[in-house]
Amino acid sequence: MRSVRMTEELWQHLLSLREGSLSPFPADADASFLALYRPIAIRDRPLVLAQVGQSLDGRVATPTGDAQDVSGCDGIAHLHRCRALVDAVIVGVGTVVADNPSLSVRAVSGKSPVRVVVDCNGRMPERAKMLHDGGMPVLVLQADDVPSGSIRHEVIRLPRHTDGGLAPRAILEALAERGLTTVLVEGGANTISRFVDAHLIDRLHVSVAPIIIGSGPAGIRLSPIDRLSEARRPDVEVYNIGTDIVFDCNFRSEIRQEAASPAADRQDILMADLA
């Protein structure tokens, strides 16, 4: 486990990477934070990051939906750093209905991302905070068979997938057409899980706080498997960021491992990705 400490100089260096202009790297800076955040900040290729803040027992809220203070102050700062380093942040409409988030950058310095809401069936509340706060643009993604509503922000209509939702790949393609290629999938569990199941997550950050809730919803709910040999096994680096522990899961390395498997196994992987 790497114990790491962020300084304002190092954070400004990371923000300069995001903007394509390089500020000097502080001579006495902790390079561990660079390893954690640099893959998000650089713009050498598209990147899809998912982030989950949870308790020691894998819960993100109580059974009644109280999710306040699941993450410690450093876990919240970590989430806001991730927001500041990406082009867009994605949440499902269920998260908007339950939490009414702003999805802005407040705990650290930096630019807020474009807000993207996956609202397949037209449930976006007209009074949602993000629609009226004067912040970054809001893109609402709906199925093309949903009647037009009165939402004042841009609505992107996509074909409804055979499972009834919107295909994660179609979502990313729609965002890429608008120049949004570094993306944070923030929640909720169904939205994150759809992107993971579609093999479209490059990195997953699981931020664990020293709290035991005992019951309540989990942050990730993937399709069931029968054997542990079918479980996802990304390379993982662990970071002690203060109040929370961050597990940085690299799914790109998992893809490389799968590519080295026998041809029959690779065919199974490709078919699963296209399903």
Side-chain angles (χ1 to χ4, degrees):
M1 180 187 300
R2 304 185 185 187
S3 295
V4 290
R5 180 180 59 88
M6 178 65 78
T7 65
E8 185 59 27
E9 281 185 300
L10 179 52
W11 178 236
Q12 291 303 317
H13 174 77
L14 289 163
L15 288 177
S16 73
L17 286 178
R18 183 211 187 285
E19 298 300 328
S21 60
L22 190 60
S23 68
F25 183 72
D28 59 346
D30 189 332
S32 294
F33 257 114
L34 192 63
L36 178 60
Y37 292 111
R38 188 178 183 277
I40 313 170
I42 57 175
R43 291 297 191 269
D44 60 340
R45 70 179 79 177
L47 178 114
V48 182
L49 166 73
Q51 205 276 165
V52 176
Q54 66 178 42
S55 64
L56 285 170
D57 54 341
R59 311 295 179 175
V60 296
T62 67
T64 61
D66 181 11
Q68 291 292 324
D69 301 324
V70 169
S71 297
C73 61
D74 293 319
I76 293 172
H78 168 73
L79 171 61
H80 285 222
R81 290 189 190 106
C82 292
R83 289 179 184 172
L85 293 175
V86 300
D87 302 321
V89 55
I90 298 175
V91 296
V93 69
T95 296
V96 178
V97 171
D99 301 333
N100 197 19
S102 294
L103 302 179
S104 59
V105 175
R106 302 180 304 279
V108 299
S109 60
K111 180 182 177 181
S112 294
V114 172
R115 282 96 47 104
V116 180
V117 180
V118 182
D119 178 28
C120 184
N121 297 308
R123 297 172 52 212
M124 183 71 177
E126 293 185 16
R127 295 189 177 182
K129 184 190 307 181
M130 68 175 69
L131 296 177
H132 305 281
D133 61 8
M136 290 296 286
V138 177
L139 304 179
V140 180
L141 308 183
Q142 294 181 346
D144 56 8
D145 57 2
V146 172
S148 298
S150 58
I151 296 176
R152 298 178 182 177
H153 290 257
E154 182 178 358
V155 176
I156 301 173
R157 298 191 176 277
L158 298 173
R160 190 182 293 274
H161 195 261
T162 54
D163 64 4
L166 300 181
R169 189 178 299 279
I171 292 172
L172 295 179
E173 289 173 353
L175 297 182
E177 290 174 359
R178 290 157 176 80
L180 307 173
T181 58
T182 302
V183 176
L184 168 63
V185 184
E186 188 170 318
N190 288 339
T191 301
I192 292 175
S193 299
R194 285 177 65 85
F195 276 84
V196 174
D197 275 338
H199 296 268
L200 294 175
I201 296 296
D202 297 305
R203 301 186 91 94
L204 169 66
H205 286 184
V206 181
S207 179
V208 180
I211 179 175
I212 298 175
I213 300 176
S215 58
I220 304 175
R221 293 191 295 270
L222 301 180
S223 300
I225 59 175
D226 295 324
R227 297 169 296 177
L228 284 179
S229 60
E230 302 172 69
R232 307 296 298 271
R233 298 180 184 275
D235 285 343
V236 178
E237 293 285 348
V238 185
Y239 297 85
N240 180 350
I241 63 171
T243 62
D244 298 62
I245 303 296
V246 172
F247 292 78
D248 178 13
C249 308
N250 185 353
F251 283 108
R252 283 180 178 167
S253 65
E254 182 188 57
I255 292 172
R256 287 195 296 269
Q257 293 168 10
E258 290 173 342
S261 64
D265 293 338
R266 291 202 300 272
Q267 182 68 22
D268 289 343
I269 293 165
L270 291 173
M271 292 302 295
D273 192 42
L274 293 173

